[in-house]
Amino acid sequence: MSKIRAAVVGLGYWGPNLARNVSQASADYELVGLCDKDEKRLGRIGELYPQTKRYTDVDALLREGKPDLVCIATPVGAHHPLAKAALEAGAHVLCEKPLAATVAEAAELVELAHKKDRRLFVDHTFAYTGAVRAIRKAYVDRALGDLFYVDSVRINLGLFQPDVDVIWDLAPHDLSILSYVIGRRVVSVKATGSSHNPRGFADVAYLTVEYEGGLQAHLHLSWLSPVKVRRMIFSGTNSSLIYDDLEASEKLKIYDHGVTFDVADVEARKQVLVNYRRGDMRAPALDNREALTTELKDIAAALRGGPLPPAMGEDGLEVVRVLEAAGASLAKDGARITIS
Ligand SMILES: NC(=O)c1ccc[n+]([C@@H]2O[C@H](COP(=O)([O-])OP(=O)(O)OC[C@H]3O[C@@H](n4cnc5c(N)ncnc54)[C@H](O)[C@@H]3O)[C@@H](O)[C@H]2O)c1
């Protein structure tokens, strides 16, 4: 089967990772184009791929390079026009998170992909990691049981983004992990936060996200923490787990700890007895492949008629819905915003 002709647009911090992975996946892909409007960056990354054509303008890339797949890794504001141009030109698209800057833009891209019969993939990178796939398995197999709550801390010093606040930058990771793991939709969101930078964007934020079935997730997001923390807790009736993405070897620890409640007297609800269970902890072996390697493999399989990967345009749209609602809540000092 012929190789997928792929191009990467946006070669700042993240785009070079896409270019490297496309280039390494040479059984499935041919890197046919690199594009950045900044000539210096284009030159610096382009030097690593001397066989690949370079473009400063996406229209020239689409016209001359005729890629089958366009990977977009520009700031969020440029996602919609670039993805739209690529879909209009008949290419499939892999777009960075978040899919677009507004719900209207994201919905338009999803619709356009359907209309053009093209695939719109969203780079929800964590859905392709061994750790998050293992969490999903623990949830689906009921090793966790019913979830009490999910708590996430995603904080570090920077990187301040030029066009979005800390919620739009970091929450897509938590929201996409949760949607992949539990497969439920968000019902409402409350967001509070504060800004300590001259642009006035929130750089510290706290989100309470309510899912179907009443599950609550609490997300702490910050660009102003002296230390980096990437930790999620999934607390369940059967067991609980801690996912620490910064741990080198034991990213996932599953604790056979928990509580059960015995209602001694149903009439007198104060008589509830709490039984604490403290059992073993195990750290399952994980697939340690780089997420983008798995992701590009899954995308190649999908483009050849295989199953669709976990992060399609519709999933990207759902995340953007929550982000937009979080922005509305932030503006109303934490008011509960429902998502229809
Ligand atoms: N999946 C992940 O884990 C992950 C990690 C980091 C960033 N990202 C996402 O990747 C995207 C890019 O982030 P970044 O930190 O690499 O940004 P960046 O600012 O470092 O790089 C963006 C690049 O895009 C180029 N660019 C902008 N508009 C363009 C256009 N119209 N045509 C061609 N090139 C254009 C810029 O010149 C720049 O080189 C963002 O959407 C971000 O959310 C994802």
Side-chain angles (χ1 to χ4, degrees):
M1 190 170 275
S2 63
K3 292 188 186 189
I4 297 159
R5 296 163 50 75
V8 178
V9 183
L11 300 166
Y13 164 65
W14 193 250
N17 292 326
L18 288 162
R20 173 173 53 78
N21 274 279
V22 166
S23 158
Q24 284 168 355
S26 55
D28 288 323
Y29 295 93
E30 185 187 354
L31 184 62
V32 296
L34 290 170
C35 173
D36 199 298
K37 62 182 187 181
D38 179 328
E39 283 191 42
K40 269 199 194 141
R41 283 190 183 168
L42 181 61
R44 213 170 38 239
I45 303 303
E47 268 177 16
L48 304 173
Y49 308 97
Q51 318 292 357
T52 302
K53 284 212 166 179
R54 303 176 202 175
Y55 303 87
T56 50
D57 168 39
V58 78
D59 293 328
L61 161 74
L62 295 170
R63 203 173 47 244
E64 295 164 25
K66 296 195 179 357
D68 302 314
L69 175 70
V70 178
C71 309
I72 297 169
T74 62
V76 182
H79 289 182
H80 173 264
L82 292 170
K84 187 172 173 181
L87 291 167
E88 296 275 19
H92 304 284
V93 168
L94 167 58
C95 186
E96 265 315 315
K97 59 82 194 167
L99 173 56
T102 64
V103 170
E105 286 182 359
E108 191 190 339
L109 293 177
V110 169
E111 202 181 308
L112 182 61
H114 280 297
K115 198 169 123 201
K116 292 274 177 186
D117 195 22
R118 299 290 86 183
R119 297 291 189 210
L120 174 59
F121 306 99
V122 184
D123 183 18
H124 288 168
T125 319
F126 283 95
Y128 299 89
T129 60
V132 171
R133 291 193 163 187
I135 298 173
R136 179 176 149 83
K137 184 166 168 18
Y139 177 72
V140 171
D141 292 353
R142 293 206 48 83
L144 292 172
D146 295 324
L147 287 175
F148 289 129
Y149 70 89
V150 177
D151 198 282
S152 176
V153 180
R154 194 172 294 279
I155 60 176
N156 55 291
L157 202 57
L159 293 165
F160 277 77
Q161 296 296 317
D163 61 344
V164 291
D165 66 11
V166 73
I167 299 176
W168 281 76
D169 182 35
L170 297 181
H173 293 311
D174 296 297
L175 296 170
S176 59
I177 290 171
L178 276 157
S179 131
Y180 174 60
V181 168
I182 65 177
R184 294 189 220 171
R185 297 180 75 154
V186 173
V187 172
S188 72
V189 61
K190 293 184 218 165
T192 54
S194 52
S195 167
H196 312 87
N197 63 78
R199 287 180 301 137
F201 283 179
D203 41 33
V204 178
Y206 305 90
L207 264 62
T208 303
V209 187
E210 185 195 343
Y211 286 83
E212 288 167 330
L215 177 70
Q216 277 202 356
H218 188 257
L219 318 182
H220 173 194
L221 312 157
S222 172
W223 286 332
L224 280 181
S225 159
V227 292
K228 184 169 181 172
V229 181
R230 295 283 185 265
R231 187 180 302 133
M232 297 183 86
I233 300 174
F234 289 72
S235 170
T237 49
N238 293 347
S239 64
S240 296
L241 67 78
I242 297 185
Y243 164 34
D244 185 343
D245 195 51
L246 302 185
E247 276 278 339
S249 57
E250 296 182 346
K251 285 187 191 300
L252 212 63
K253 292 183 177 144
I254 303 181
Y255 294 83
D256 183 19
H257 294 189
V259 292
T260 50
F261 303 103
D262 289 342
V263 183
D265 179 350
V266 254
E267 295 299 314
R269 290 198 151 224
K270 284 180 187 153
Q271 300 284 319
V272 173
L273 297 172
V274 183
N275 300 313
Y276 296 93
R277 191 181 74 251
R278 294 190 189 280
D280 293 340
M281 182 281 285
R282 70 184 179 88
L286 301 174
D287 177 353
N288 280 328
R289 262 179 308 178
E290 187 178 349
L292 287 178
T293 308
T294 307
E295 183 169 344
L296 285 167
K297 216 167 180 40
D298 286 5
I299 287 174
L303 291 180
R304 290 178 171 140
L308 295 179
M312 300 301 296
E314 287 80 356
D315 304 289
L317 170 60
E318 281 305 305
V319 166
V320 173
R321 271 191 218 289
V322 183
L323 297 175
E324 205 169 84
S329 173
L330 197 61
K332 290 184 180 168
D333 209 14
R336 180 174 183 269
I337 305 289
T338 53
I339 298 170
S340 54

